[in-house]
């Protein structure tokens, strides 16, 4: 089955831009979805498809892909963006979903 | 408001069974694939199972295949997860979720998540 790899932790200064990455062979074929999870809360979808934001997600969140790497970019990070971020895509060998291990974002 | 609400979690002994339920509202339930995803406290997300909008595709993670059964009742806007032969490693918060894409037999991700229901497998 496919695997998705994320950096365990990333930090960004308040108001600066941060990129969170997700690597995996399945990303050459399938788009990535990104989720934000704050402590004690359920995950929330923030990016899906090529670069689509669900209603209510600020436009400082954007997504991109190059080769086997997908990226979630937060332009002008805010204190409320501090959270865990997970990527997911479809598995290449089965009709499964696969999640990355998650990245803990700290806003300094 | 689009939402899903899980129920049915609890404390159960190893080897026993439990049935989780998820009731959806605010969208046309029968038009979307649905999923179960679990999370051990302090750990990452693990996809458990998915069922397409028309039940043509039913899929399971290797870790639960042969023990768990997903089903849906579109007339009741409800999703279920029958969990048999439970193991301590099945202990987690179980989320129900609605897929991103309408009327697809393939899975894209979870557009809507519930708050989860906790399953604890312990003697």
């Amino acid at each position: 089955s496919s695997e998705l790899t994320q950096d365990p932790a990333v930090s960004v200064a308040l108001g600066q831009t941060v990129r969170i990455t997700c690597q995996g062979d399945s990303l050459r074929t399938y788009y990535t979805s990104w989720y934000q999870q704050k402590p004690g809360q359920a995950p929330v979808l923030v990016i899906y498809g090529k670069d689509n934001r669900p209603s209510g997600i600020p436009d400082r969140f954007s997504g991109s892909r190059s080769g086997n790497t997908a990226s979630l970019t937060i332009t002008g990070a805010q204190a409320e963006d501090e959270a865990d971020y997970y990527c997911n895509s479809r598995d290449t060998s089965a009709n499964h979903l696969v999640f990355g291990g998650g990245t803990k974002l700290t806003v300094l | 408001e689009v939402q899903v609400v899980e129920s049915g979690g609890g404390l159960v002994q190893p080897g026993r069974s439990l049935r989780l339920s998820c009731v959806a509202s605010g969208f046309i339930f029968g038009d979307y694939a649905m999923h179960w995803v679990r999370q051990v406290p302090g750990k990452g997300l693990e996809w458990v199972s998915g069922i397409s909008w028309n039940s043509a595709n039913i899929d399971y993670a290797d870790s639960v295949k042969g023990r768990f059964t997903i089903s849906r009742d579109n007339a009741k806007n409800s999703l279920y997860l029958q969990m048999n032969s439970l193991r301590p490693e099945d202990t987690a918060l179980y989320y129900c979720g609605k897929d991103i894409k309408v009327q697809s037999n393939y899975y894209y991700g979870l557009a809507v998540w519930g708050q989860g229901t906790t399953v604890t497998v312990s003697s």
Side-chain angles (χ1 to χ4, degrees):
Chain A
S1 62
S2 303
E3 290 186 359
L4 298 177
T5 302
Q6 297 182 241
D7 292 328
V10 171
S11 62
V12 61
L14 183 67
Q16 297 302 301
T17 296
V18 62
R19 178 173 293 182
I20 298 170
T21 60
C22 175
Q23 287 189 304
D25 287 341
S26 64
L27 304 186
R28 297 183 186 278
T29 306
Y30 302 119
Y31 284 117
T32 309
S33 299
W34 289 95
Y35 307 87
Q36 176 192 71
Q37 186 179 34
K38 297 181 179 179
Q41 297 183 21
V44 172
L45 178 69
V46 295
I47 292 290
Y48 66 97
K50 190 174 183 181
D51 180 22
N52 301 302
R53 281 175 289 105
S55 175
I57 301 302
D59 60 5
R60 63 179 179 272
F61 289 89
S62 63
S64 62
R65 180 181 70 173
S66 178
N68 72 336
T69 301
S71 300
L72 172 69
T73 300
I74 307 174
T75 304
Q78 302 299 303
E80 60 264 32
D81 299 335
E82 186 162 290
D84 293 327
Y85 289 86
Y86 294 91
C87 61
N88 99 269
S89 78
R90 198 190 312 171
D91 193 323
T92 51
S93 59
N95 194 23
H96 293 184
L97 289 179
V98 181
F99 285 93
T103 297
K104 183 177 181 58
L105 176 66
T106 299
V107 179
L108 303 172
Chain B
E1 180 187 7
V2 176
Q3 64 175 356
V4 294
V5 179
E6 307 91 338
S7 62
L11 172 63
V12 62
Q13 293 179 329
R16 305 298 291 265
S17 299
L18 206 58
R19 190 194 196 206
L20 306 183
S21 299
C22 169
V23 178
S25 60
F27 65 98
I28 302 175
F29 179 77
D31 273 354
Y32 290 89
M34 296 294 294
H35 303 274
W36 289 99
V37 174
R38 67 186 181 185
Q39 184 174 35
V40 174
K43 302 296 184 183
L45 301 170
E46 179 188 16
W47 179 82
V48 173
S49 182
I51 183 168
S52 62
W53 66 289
N54 57 4
S55 300
N57 285 357
I58 293 176
D59 302 277
Y60 302 95
D62 290 344
S63 58
V64 306
K65 196 169 186 178
R67 301 187 298 122
F68 289 12
T69 302
I70 191 172
S71 61
R72 66 188 298 160
D73 185 337
N74 288 348
K76 295 183 177 179
N77 289 347
S78 293
L79 176 74
Y80 307 101
L81 186 67
Q82 178 66 42
M83 303 185 296
N84 298 332
S85 302
L86 281 161
R87 304 168 179 169
E89 54 264 36
D90 295 320
T91 295
L93 180 63
Y94 283 73
Y95 293 105
C96 161
K98 162 189 172 289
D99 200 275
I100 293 169
K101 195 165 183 178
V102 65
Q103 291 188 358
S104 174
N105 284 328
Y106 299 100
Y107 309 136
Y108 290 82
L110 281 76
V112 176
W113 299 66
Q115 289 302 307
T117 186
T118 299
V119 173
T120 303
V121 184
S122 175
S123 54

